[in-house]
Each structure stands twice: as structure tokens, then as C-alpha cells.
Amino acid sequence: MEFLEHLNWRYATKAMNGEKIADDKINRILEAVRLAPTSSGLQPFEVLVVKGEELKNKIMPVANNQTVIRDCSHLLIFAAWDNYTEERITETFKSMYAVRGFSEKWDEYRQFLIKSYVNRPAEVNFNHAAHQAYIAFSFAIAAAATEKVDATPIEGFNPAALDELLGLDKQGFKSVLLLPLGYRDEEKDWLLTMKKARKSKDELIKELD
């Protein structure tokens, strides 16, 4: 029940007050991202953590001038692989082997993924990788709520412009999502006093026999 209470507490914060988040809280949120499940355990994305005011101010115009970009404590940028390659898949499996030990079964699975993914169109592979980033993104939001840290999920930005600004396009990544983390400005946030509005359980969930 405590977890659900945290989820009821959170909302998409519209104004933040600039207060800094303690390092231990940020580290736990990022650890939740690291532990999030992804397809075949590939984790085909990276998370950029922006703390500096200068860079946040440069990012703000490509995110429709949303003030939470400027006023947040930490801005998380989720960037997915632009494509699956044999090298990327193999590198991930090397890390798995280091933890679990090499086995023929796991190497057969690596080869299966290479055969399945590498010849697909890059756009298909990017979309698949982006979906994995969304999973980790949701873990970050939930973890932030348990830390009583406000978060604002943002899809409304210009990914191509942000990629160029950060040089992601040259590194084989494409930005997917932004997540400002901080603390709500109780005087400026117009959404603060509004009740949480969600579909009822009966509307949203259908049980099938």
C-alpha cells in the first residue's frame, strides 16, 4: 500500500523551485533505472544526467521553453541506440558472460539476436530500443515518487535539435525522453491543487477467462 500512496502523491510537476536533490536520492533513482527490465537484457540506451545551469538553459529552447528544464535540480535525458549492431549486442553479452560465466546456450542466444536484429531496418531497431528506454523511464518516475522527488515526464521537445546540441547523433544515439527531477514550486504550479484524474478500474482493466 505504501508504494501506491507514493504513486498517488506524484503528478507531472509544472513548476519547480530550484532546490537541489541530495546525491543519495539521485543515486537510488538512477539505480532503479539500471535495474529496470529490458528485452533480452540489452539495455539499448543511456541516461545523461544534466546538472549545470548553462547546459539546462541551452536545452530549454528545444523543449518548448518549459521552465521545469531550467528550474529542476537534475535533468535526465534518455537516449536510445539508433540501431542494433553485432558489435553492440556482442559487447553487452560480454558483460553478461563476466557476471554469469560463458555458456554455449547464452552464446547461441547472442547469435540468434544478431541474426534477428541486425538485418532489420534501422528505424525498426531504433523504435524497439526506444521502447526499452520507456520501461526504464517509468522506473525512474516511480523511484522518484518513493524518494518524494518530483518528476515531469517530457516528450514535447525537438529530438533532432537536442541530438545535435549534445552530439548524440555522432555517437549512435537518439534522444527519446526528458525527465526533470526536483521539487515542486507550491506557489507557481497550477496543477498542484488539482485532484488526480484517472480512468476507473472497470474502464481500464478487462479480465478475460
Side-chain angles (χ1 to χ4, degrees), residues 27-46:
N27 289 338
R28 285 191 289 269
I29 293 168
L30 293 174
E31 182 66 359
V33 171
R34 190 181 73 87
L35 294 174
T38 58
S39 180
S40 301
L42 290 175
Q43 296 180 290
F45 57 87
E46 66 177 16

Side-chain angles (χ1 to χ4, degrees), residues 64-113:
N64 297 312
N65 290 311
Q66 296 179 70
T67 59
V68 287
I69 299 289
R70 178 194 64 206
D71 298 332
C72 69
S73 171
H74 294 67
L75 173 64
L76 306 189
I77 301 171
F78 289 73
W81 289 355
D82 61 359
N83 200 358
Y84 285 109
T85 66
E86 180 173 351
E87 292 75 19
R88 280 175 158 169
I89 294 171
T90 297
E91 193 63 30
T92 303
F93 268 77
K94 285 181 180 178
S95 298
M96 291 182 186
Y97 298 153
V99 174
R100 297 172 172 170
F102 178 84
S103 73
E104 293 292 337
K105 178 180 179 180
W106 280 111
D107 202 53
E108 287 176 4
Y109 189 60
R110 177 186 68 85
Q111 294 176 44
F112 166 77
L113 291 179

Side-chain angles (χ1 to χ4, degrees), residues 31-205:
E31 182 66 359
V33 171
R34 190 181 73 87
L35 294 174
T38 58
S39 180
S40 301
L42 290 175
Q43 296 180 290
F45 57 87
E46 66 177 16
V47 181
L48 308 178
V49 182
V50 180
K51 296 186 289 184
E53 301 304 317
E54 183 178 351
L55 184 52
K56 285 191 289 184
N57 284 328
K58 289 181 179 179
I59 293 171
M60 190 173 160
V62 303
N64 297 312
N65 290 311
Q66 296 179 70
T67 59
V68 287
I69 299 289
R70 178 194 64 206
D71 298 332
C72 69
S73 171
H74 294 67
L75 173 64
L76 306 189
I77 301 171
F78 289 73
W81 289 355
D82 61 359
N83 200 358
Y84 285 109
T85 66
E86 180 173 351
E87 292 75 19
R88 280 175 158 169
I89 294 171
T90 297
E91 193 63 30
T92 303
F93 268 77
K94 285 181 180 178
S95 298
M96 291 182 186
Y97 298 153
V99 174
R100 297 172 172 170
F102 178 84
S103 73
E104 293 292 337
K105 178 180 179 180
W106 280 111
D107 202 53
E108 287 176 4
Y109 189 60
R110 177 186 68 85
Q111 294 176 44
F112 166 77
L113 291 179
I114 291 170
K115 183 178 180 181
S116 300
Y117 287 4
V118 171
N119 291 324
R120 297 191 309 193
E123 182 178 0
V124 171
N125 282 337
F126 165 69
N127 287 335
H128 184 271
H131 290 158
Q132 311 316 305
Y134 268 88
I135 297 171
F137 183 76
S138 67
F139 271 55
I141 295 169
T146 67
E147 298 290 341
K148 285 294 188 285
V149 168
D150 288 301
T152 309
I154 293 178
E155 290 182 297
F157 69 100
N158 185 330
L162 183 59
D163 295 348
E164 183 177 0
L165 174 65
L166 301 177
L168 292 174
D169 49 343
K170 297 180 177 64
Q171 301 172 46
F173 287 90
K174 292 183 179 181
S175 54
V176 178
L177 297 153
L178 306 180
L179 187 64
L181 299 173
Y183 295 103
R184 61 192 68 174
D185 187 323
E186 297 187 358
E187 294 184 358
K188 296 180 180 179
D189 193 342
W190 56 268
L191 192 57
L192 175 63
T193 58
M194 294 189 181
K195 292 183 178 180
K196 188 180 289 290
R198 295 291 189 273
K199 290 182 178 180
S200 70
K201 180 180 177 181
D202 289 340
E203 289 176 306
L204 187 64
I205 298 171

